[in-house]
Amino acid sequence: TAYKLWIKDIVSGKFITPGNIEEPPYLEVRNLKVSRVNLIASCILVYKGEDRIYANITLDDGSGEAIRVKSWRDDVRL
């Protein structure tokens, strides 16, 4: 099931790791169990290290909260 959430909802959600190995970890947001997110936002800042083995981007969806995505090594090109 897909849910429409703001970044502020994701950031304020509670990360749950079930004791049962068959149930994957999830984020509890507004009484919903969220295990995957497709994020629609504007990229407001991009930084790549001089050696290109580290990068981060800052995303904003207008909710008053931004989220930073980081990558290292081979994932920097993504």
Side-chain angles (χ1 to χ4, degrees):
T1 304
Y3 304 106
K4 291 184 179 182
L5 302 172
W6 295 97
I7 290 175
K8 69 179 180 179
D9 295 328
I10 296 167
V11 171
S12 65
K14 182 178 179 185
F15 186 75
I16 306 293
T17 305
N20 182 354
I21 195 163
E22 295 173 1
E23 187 176 357
Y26 61 90
L27 193 64
E28 188 175 82
V29 178
R30 292 192 254 149
N31 295 323
L32 301 171
K33 291 182 177 181
V34 179
S35 57
R36 295 186 332 179
V37 174
N38 287 330
L39 190 60
I40 299 173
S42 298
C43 179
I44 59 173
L45 179 69
V46 176
Y47 171 80
K48 289 185 182 179
E50 292 178 18
D51 51 7
R52 302 283 182 170
I53 62 168
Y54 170 78
N56 72 52
I57 60 173
T58 302
L59 302 173
D60 184 4
D61 66 354
S63 67
E65 187 81 35
I67 193 167
R68 183 175 293 155
V69 180
K70 297 181 180 185
S71 63
W72 292 268
R73 303 194 199 318
D74 293 338
D75 292 334
V76 168
R77 65 181 172 72
L78 297 174

